[in-house]
Amino acid sequence: MRILVVTVVHHPEDARILHRQITALRDRGHHVVYAAPFSAREVRPRPDLEGIDLPRAAGRSRRTAVRAARTLLAERGRQADVVLLHDPELLLALPGTLRRWRRSGTGPVVVWDVHEDTAAALAMKRWVPAPLRPPLRLAVRAAERLAERHLRLLLAEDAYQERFRRSHPVVPNFTTAPVQAPEPPGTAHVVYVGHLSRARGALDLVETARHLGPGVRVDVAGAADPDVREALAAADREGVLRWHGFLPNDRALALFPGALAGLSLLHDQPNYRHSRPTKVVEYMAHGVPVVTTPTPLAADMVEQHGCGLVVPYEDPPAAAEAIRRLGTDAILRHTAAQRGREAALAHFNWPDAAAEFTHRLEAWAREESGAGPARDAARTERPRLRPATGSPSPGPRPRSGRVG
């Protein structure tokens, strides 16, 4: 198939989009063109992947990105068998083009990959004025219902089904567990990998590192929201922690070997209550004990599989104490690491989900191409997507549980 993947919000090196979905599609032999905000994020497309540069949608500055995406879809979308969208903003770029495709009977399958509960996430967007949040939530719900009528949907979480009237396939945020057994957890450093914001516990990370002191290094990898960047940069300058900035997923995972713990310090926010933190699955898959706040799915994984410790929300002293406990109890530490890896291999391994993901897109494309002889003829006449110019042994169950 010819597949056009589009985002104006996510980092071009986003693990779900690039390292999982696009890789899975290309492994199946499909031709992928990736449109993303490469220049805005100061990265270039991977040399073996066609890339199209788009503006970035951030804060209140989204109109330019939506217009550019609308132009891209109008000019290039018809050349694809599948258009895979990754942002709710892109729904605004579709209506006119989608109507033209429907009238001509030659349009691609359009798929929206639903990454999060957008309406719930609005409560955490500091750039959205508080009085506008309730009407915007209603508008988002209306847009979701409209999208359900006209597009194919993929969901990142089972819980997202509740927002829609029909059932839709779920492509969960799993990760690829390394084939070889990972290095056992040591006692010298802990890791955090993921976006950094107040709600994701960025300032709690800094305070946790201060409570740990110089005996344990805290490695933090991820892009940061403007309101927490200075605190992270100051902590890095002072030697409280090491902030690596954004790292592509494959480079971020290089911080995992020998880590004492992987941290997930999400706050109690509606958007997190029914989401499985990808970082927790990644820690488990790489044999790193988990220290997490009690967001329901993360706490359930840690307690059910005995792969770490759960600490209260917004409590850096408790997080530091959990890390020290793992550091002084070798049985707890090593058993948590082993059980987490076993659970990830059995229940949260991306290759299993990858097959379902690619097969679903292939099935939708077959359904669309089977709509009639005229459509089949139009598809065979479509040119290929043009490249962009200037491409940028199970042991005893550990004494896991809640701390504090």
Side-chain angles (χ1 to χ4, degrees), residues 205-244:
L205 279 170
V206 173
E207 292 307 308
T208 298
R210 292 188 190 280
H211 282 282
L212 285 172
V216 179
R217 187 177 78 251
V218 178
D219 283 308
V220 178
D225 283 358
D227 59 342
V228 298
R229 285 176 195 159
E230 180 51 38
L232 288 161
D236 182 82
R237 289 193 299 268
E238 297 166 17
V240 174
L241 52 72
R242 174 73 191 281
W243 180 30
H244 299 266

Side-chain angles (χ1 to χ4, degrees), residues 175-370:
T175 190
T176 301
V179 176
Q180 294 183 339
E183 182 180 334
T187 60
H189 78 287
V190 301
V191 297
Y192 172 93
V193 171
H195 191 77
L196 292 150
S197 66
R198 289 178 181 269
R200 293 175 183 267
L203 301 183
D204 301 331
L205 279 170
V206 173
E207 292 307 308
T208 298
R210 292 188 190 280
H211 282 282
L212 285 172
V216 179
R217 187 177 78 251
V218 178
D219 283 308
V220 178
D225 283 358
D227 59 342
V228 298
R229 285 176 195 159
E230 180 51 38
L232 288 161
D236 182 82
R237 289 193 299 268
E238 297 166 17
V240 174
L241 52 72
R242 174 73 191 281
W243 180 30
H244 299 266
F246 177 84
L247 294 177
N249 188 250
D250 46 359
R251 290 178 56 194
L253 296 181
L255 299 173
F256 285 13
L260 164 60
L263 306 181
S264 177
L265 303 181
L266 297 173
H267 291 185
D268 186 16
Q269 294 285 344
N271 191 33
Y272 301 149
R273 291 174 192 156
H274 45 235
S275 297
R276 179 186 294 107
T278 307
K279 61 178 63 66
V280 171
V281 179
E282 289 180 327
Y283 300 150
M284 294 167 62
H286 289 79
V288 178
V290 178
V291 173
T292 180
T293 50
T295 54
L297 294 184
D300 180 68
M301 285 193 295
V302 167
E303 294 179 331
Q304 178 182 348
H305 301 294
C307 59
L309 299 168
V310 180
V311 300
Y313 291 113
E314 302 183 56
D315 193 342
E321 177 57 31
I323 294 166
R324 283 192 287 264
R325 180 179 166 191
L326 286 165
T328 57
D329 190 333
I331 295 177
L332 171 63
R333 183 172 69 250
H334 289 282
T335 309
Q338 182 178 348
R339 288 199 177 269
R341 175 167 163 78
E342 290 169 353
L345 285 167
H347 305 293
F348 311 116
N349 204 14
W350 169 247
D352 302 326
E356 296 178 10
F357 163 69
T358 55
H359 292 161
R360 173 54 58 186
L361 295 192
E362 290 163 359
W364 282 339
R366 284 195 301 270
E367 290 174 18
E368 192 78 6
S369 65

Side-chain angles (χ1 to χ4, degrees), residues 16 127 183 259:
R16 177 178 175 88
W127 54 269
E183 182 180 334

Side-chain angles (χ1 to χ4, degrees), residues 117-125 128-145 163 269-271:
D117 185 342
T118 307
L122 284 171
M124 298 181 291
K125 307 295 186 185
V128 179
L132 292 181
R133 291 174 189 173
L136 280 177
R137 281 195 293 268
L138 292 175
V140 167
R141 294 299 187 218
E144 289 176 344
R145 290 193 294 271
R163 291 154 49 195
Q269 294 285 344
N271 191 33

Side-chain angles (χ1 to χ4, degrees), residues 19-30 350 354 357-358:
H19 295 273
R20 298 190 187 109
Q21 294 187 358
I22 289 179
T23 297
L25 290 166
R26 298 181 73 206
D27 286 347
R28 288 277 294 175
H30 301 305
W350 169 247
F357 163 69
T358 55

Side-chain angles (χ1 to χ4, degrees), residues 7-43:
T7 180
V8 292
V9 172
H10 294 85
H11 195 286
E13 291 276 347
D14 181 87
R16 177 178 175 88
I17 300 174
L18 177 64
H19 295 273
R20 298 190 187 109
Q21 294 187 358
I22 289 179
T23 297
L25 290 166
R26 298 181 73 206
D27 286 347
R28 288 277 294 175
H30 301 305
H31 178 74
V32 178
V33 172
Y34 186 23
F38 293 101
S39 296
R41 292 290 197 167
E42 300 182 339
V43 298

